[in-house]
Amino acid sequence: MMVRVWDAPTRLFHWALALCFIGLLVTSQVGGGAMVWHFRFGYGVLTLLLFRVFWGLLGGHWSRFSTFVVGPIAIWRYLHGQGKAHDGVGHNPLGALSVLAMLVFLGLQVGTGLMSDDEIATAGPLTQFVSSSWVNNATYYHKDIGKFILLGLVVLHLTAIGLYFFRKRENLVKAMITGDKSLDFAAPSARDALPERRRAGLIFLLCLALVSSAVIGIGG
């Protein structure tokens, strides 16, 4: 049966985050005037992360943290082939760890970026509020640690997609585009009607307003 796993807001979040990540990576390598866009992409990621936190509490069934975040016992059972049938519908226990790691390290990357200073022409808006040691540590992490951790997580994510496609014949990319999966057992579908999408739109606008007001406020 066909089941709606990923609601439209979750799918839009996923692809928007991917585009912002690519934009951040490219602009960080170009430098110079491109750093203006680097900060804009960073603010975009911060907005998306805030939205995902709210949507993890209020979103569709398979997008909620309460659905896919499990404890160590459940992860242990999954690794030993004793997981539940529903473990593979949305994020499986290992995939859940990957999602949480991505959200946490993206948050760290954005946070340290706001406190970084390249000592040439670009400084994060929060550098004026923290000590020089904080700025130095944040800059070091942002440029030499956090970026490579995130690249490793992306490679891991793409590798998992490839393994699922070639070994299990499961197209995870298609599911994140259409939102649907074909299952041979009954599973609840995520609610993805107009009211849910309107609610997601309002939540996103709230997150955008929070980030924008903070940026404008800090900028003076």
Side-chain angles (χ1 to χ4, degrees), residues 112-213:
T112 53
L114 295 173
M115 293 183 287
S116 294
D117 187 349
D118 64 3
E119 298 182 347
I120 300 175
T122 306
L126 296 184
T127 54
Q128 57 185 312
F129 302 112
V130 297
S131 65
S132 58
S133 61
W134 269 91
V135 172
N136 291 334
N137 290 332
T139 304
Y140 173 70
Y141 177 88
H142 190 80
K143 294 175 61 177
D144 299 320
I145 299 178
K147 178 174 68 175
F148 297 104
I149 291 176
L150 286 172
L151 286 173
L153 289 173
V154 170
V155 170
L156 182 63
H157 180 64
L158 295 176
T159 301
I161 291 174
L163 290 175
Y164 265 80
F165 183 77
F166 290 108
R167 289 190 176 183
K168 297 186 177 183
R169 301 300 178 185
E170 185 175 346
N171 193 334
L172 299 181
V173 175
K174 181 180 178 181
M176 189 54 73
I177 294 175
T178 65
D180 299 325
K181 279 188 178 183
S182 179
L183 305 175
D184 56 4
F185 55 88
S189 288
R191 298 180 63 180
D192 192 23
L194 186 58
E196 285 74 31
R197 296 182 181 186
R198 285 177 176 171
R199 180 173 59 185
L202 290 174
I203 293 173
F204 178 78
L205 290 176
L206 173 62
C207 295
L208 181 61
L210 288 173
V211 172
S212 299
S213 61

Side-chain angles (χ1 to χ4, degrees), residues 61-62 67 78 83-93 183 185-188:
H61 177 77
W62 300 105
T67 301
Y78 178 80
K84 300 177 182 178
H86 287 187
D87 283 345
V89 178
H91 296 301
N92 64 49
L183 305 175
F185 55 88

